[in-house]
Amino acid sequence: MYRPVSHALQDPQETALGQKIAQHASAIGARHDSAFRLLGGTEAAYTSRLALVDAAQKTLDLQYYAILVDESTGQFVLRLREAAARGVRVRILLDDFNTTGANAQFLRLAFEPNIQIRLFNPLPGSRRSLVGRLLGSLGNLEQAQRRMHNKMFIADNAIGITGGRNLGDAYFGQGTDSNFIDLDVLAAGRIVRQMSASFDAYWNNELAYPVQSLLSPDELDALRPTSAAPVTIPDALHPDAAHTAQPAAEIAVAPLDLSPARLTWAPSLLLVDKADKIAAEDVGTEDTVVDGLLRLMERTQHDLFIVSPYFVPGDAMMAVFAKLRESGVRVRVLTNSLAATDAPLAHVGYARYRERLLDMGVELYEMRAEFNGGASAMSFGSTVRRVASQGSESSPAKPASLTGSGVASRASLHAKTLVLDESLLVVGSMNLDLRSQLQNSEVALLIRSRSLARQALELAAPVLRDDAYHVALKDGQLVWYAPDGQSTTGPGEPDAGKGLQLMLRLIGPFAPDEML
């Protein structure tokens, strides 16, 4: 198989983005070599990515677990095609798990000039449905479970974005059924070079297969949904889209605001799993991102705040929590309730540890599926604000709908964040569960900044106050205190159907933690 080796841009300082960052660092006399800005609201998260595509002069490198084919992705496709047409080299590295059905149509870009797409750890079987692919993987189910979960968006090796978001409507507040509450961080300077080095290691790994080696344009045509299918493929991904004028003008995006006032220069470190983790026979011998975070958590002196949508601590993490609580460290965890989660089996793993966590004094908060409509609508990733038609997070312009329909009021937590002692912030792709530790590859950005750490806490505060249950033990029984602080719910998981709760009680005992 032809898999040419390629690398990130070697001289990012020769691009407009690289020069602007260097000028800002010089203007303020920055004491550190990397700068950051949190992207909590969906407008900032979405338009920042679009602006990076528009500003790129040499290279765009995207690494994602999932890219869903919908209206928001259609805008990325238009802009990526325009970038390639003006000579930008586009490399997209995508985990192969979700490239089925309508989502497979995104792979059409691989057959266009200046755009390369590779699929990581491809699965056998039909791409018509996820079920078919899983059935085709029964012969090697262990390998099929190991997924590349990293998420990075890098322009000219000068500015990058990482965090919890995949690409798709639900990650940018545009889903019609449910949306994800999420958090990203925009990074600039030296740390981006480390992000690009990680991208290159995965891109050139033997598990990264060029799309052309796995399927042809004719096979993609055969996978197109029928006219009766409920999924609509954006015009940008129709077979003839590459040969027709498709100006990316439906959503006008202002240039990215990189003024010194918007960036925080701070010490930082990138933790990233080796690409070979996916193929390793004994992952237990690897030093993983989650292992590094466990060692980091052990050093907490006063306060540890964790946001993890899928939270299955395992014995090693429970030992860390016990040690911290014995030292008087406050430990708070925000995760999904059963009604809010999009992965019910993961909730089973969490539920196994819930009473033990409460017994040792860990404070547990569970995200509600329905927003109360308070300040939480502006936190992490809003599900009620539209993607801005132009402007920046600081000065949003008139909102515009991508879908033409109302967005959902239901929400599911998806941010992966830690704040230690209100001074160290961690944002990444990892969940604090055994799947992230043992099965998936992950990336995490560590930033030593009191201002950014406090900003992350401020973003989370309305969720804890208005949109999460506070879980406690009362007379030996689990109770869920509603956001009003007065009402309680129980027995049983709040807002979740009895059928779902029964199914999980029946299936849960037979599923090992590391598979949840």
Side-chain angles (χ1 to χ4, degrees):
M1 179 184 58
Y2 183 59
R3 186 194 288 118
V5 173
S6 62
H7 296 93
L9 182 67
Q10 295 300 303
D11 300 307
Q13 67 276 10
E14 295 182 0
T15 67
L17 289 175
Q19 291 170 4
K20 181 171 288 189
I21 294 301
Q23 291 167 1
H24 290 172
S26 176
I28 66 170
R31 295 188 299 115
H32 306 289
D33 56 14
S34 300
F36 306 94
R37 173 179 149 199
L38 294 187
L39 302 176
T42 53
E43 293 177 30
Y46 188 68
T47 58
S48 292
R49 287 171 169 85
L50 293 180
L52 284 182
V53 178
D54 292 346
Q57 293 177 316
K58 297 292 185 181
T59 62
L60 284 164
D61 292 331
L62 281 62
Q63 182 178 14
Y64 279 94
Y65 169 66
I67 298 180
L68 309 180
V69 168
D70 50 34
E71 291 302 316
S72 63
T73 300
Q75 283 293 316
F76 283 117
V77 169
L78 293 176
R79 283 176 158 81
L80 288 171
R81 185 177 288 123
E82 288 185 353
R86 66 176 184 264
V88 176
R89 183 196 68 184
V90 180
R91 297 187 297 175
I92 302 172
L93 182 59
L94 183 60
D95 185 86
D96 192 43
F97 190 76
N98 291 288
T99 58
T100 60
N103 292 334
Q105 298 304 311
F106 182 82
L107 305 181
R108 289 188 180 280
L109 288 180
F111 300 92
E112 298 187 19
N114 273 357
I115 301 179
Q116 307 168 51
I117 301 180
R118 294 184 181 180
L119 298 177
F120 203 84
N121 192 20
L123 295 171
S126 170
R127 292 185 183 274
R128 290 194 175 278
S129 70
L130 182 57
V131 173
R133 305 205 72 196
L134 291 176
L135 290 175
S137 303
L138 291 178
N140 192 356
L141 194 57
E142 181 179 355
Q143 183 64 25
Q145 285 197 87
R146 296 181 178 181
R147 309 316 314 170
M148 183 193 75
H149 200 239
N150 314 39
K151 302 169 180 72
M152 292 194 293
F153 198 116
I154 306 170
D156 285 341
N157 199 10
I159 298 179
I161 296 173
T162 190
R165 287 184 177 93
N166 294 294
L167 300 186
D169 284 351
Y171 297 96
F172 299 109
Q174 298 298 305
T176 56
D177 296 324
S178 181
N179 285 284
F180 290 113
I181 304 289
D182 225 319
L183 181 67
D184 292 322
V185 61
L186 181 145
R190 185 267 313 164
I191 197 69
V192 180
R193 269 47 113 206
Q194 292 188 11
M195 295 169 65
S196 291
S198 170
F199 179 94
D200 286 348
Y202 279 82
W203 179 262
N204 295 313
N205 188 273
E206 62 181 9
L207 285 179
Y209 286 71
V211 165
Q212 289 85 343
S213 69
L214 299 172
L215 75 169
S216 67
D218 288 343
E219 289 172 311
L220 281 172
D221 287 343
L223 290 171
R224 289 184 64 199
T226 64
S227 58
V231 177
T232 300
I233 302 298
D235 290 342
L237 284 168
H238 285 174
D240 59 348
H243 308 293
T244 60
Q246 292 279 343
E250 293 184 28
I251 296 181
V253 177
L256 196 64
D257 183 357
L258 296 175
S259 60
R262 300 292 303 222
L263 297 174
T264 299
W265 295 81
S268 60
L269 177 68
L270 187 74
L271 295 183
V272 60
D273 285 324
K274 296 178 181 178
D276 290 336
K277 175 183 178 181
I278 303 298
E281 294 184 3
D282 185 6
V283 181
T285 63
E286 297 285 322
D287 190 19
T288 70
V289 166
V290 175
D291 291 330
L293 295 181
L294 287 176
R295 291 194 295 270
L296 190 67
M297 286 189 285
E298 286 183 314
R299 301 172 64 180
T300 309
Q301 298 297 309
H302 307 290
D303 185 277
L304 173 62
F305 178 58
I306 294 170
V307 181
S308 183
Y310 318 116
F311 180 60
V312 185
D315 293 339
M317 197 176 303
M318 291 294 285
V320 171
F321 290 154
K323 180 180 177 181
L324 292 177
R325 291 298 302 136
E326 290 172 0
S327 301
V329 175
R330 185 186 189 189
V331 180
R332 292 175 294 164
V333 177
L334 173 62
T335 189
N336 275 312
S337 66
L338 176 58
T341 187
D342 65 325
L345 283 178
H347 190 85
V348 171
Y350 156 67
R352 292 172 181 168
Y353 294 90
R354 191 161 43 193
E355 292 188 26
R356 290 166 55 192
L357 288 163
L358 293 171
D359 278 334
M360 69 173 64
V362 173
E363 301 173 39
L364 297 180
Y365 295 85
E366 296 182 6
M367 178 80 186
R368 298 174 70 247
E370 299 286 344
F371 267 127
N372 275 340
S376 60
M378 297 297 295
S379 63
F380 281 131
S382 162
T383 65
V384 299
R385 294 181 69 186
R386 296 292 192 179
V387 173
S389 60
Q390 54 184 323
S392 64
E393 185 180 31
S394 61
S395 57
K398 182 179 178 180
S401 170
L402 288 177
T403 60
S405 60
V407 292
S409 61
R410 292 181 60 84
S412 181
L413 187 69
H414 199 258
K416 303 95 163 50
T417 307
L418 287 77
V419 180
L420 293 80
D421 292 330
E422 297 187 6
S423 61
L424 180 63
L425 173 65
V426 181
V427 179
S429 67
M430 71 293 151
N431 298 296
L432 288 187
D433 63 6
L434 296 183
R435 174 171 288 279
S436 283
Q437 183 176 12
L438 301 176
Q439 302 279 358
N440 296 341
S441 65
E442 307 287 358
V443 60
L445 186 54
L446 283 59
I447 309 169
R448 175 69 67 178
S449 168
R450 189 168 295 276
S451 63
L452 289 177
R454 288 178 174 172
Q455 184 180 345
L457 292 173
E458 290 170 0
L459 287 170
V463 178
L464 297 178
R465 183 186 66 239
D466 299 329
D467 293 304
Y469 289 106
H470 185 195
V471 189
L473 285 173
K474 184 177 182 180
D475 300 327
Q477 298 295 318
L478 286 169
V479 294
W480 286 260
Y481 288 92
D484 60 17
Q486 302 298 321
S487 61
T488 61
T489 179
E493 310 274 352
D495 305 325
K498 293 182 179 180
L500 176 61
Q501 296 187 62
L502 176 61
M503 181 188 71
L504 295 183
R505 282 198 296 269
L506 294 175
I507 297 176
F510 302 101
D513 284 354
E514 61 270 16
M515 294 183 66
L516 299 175

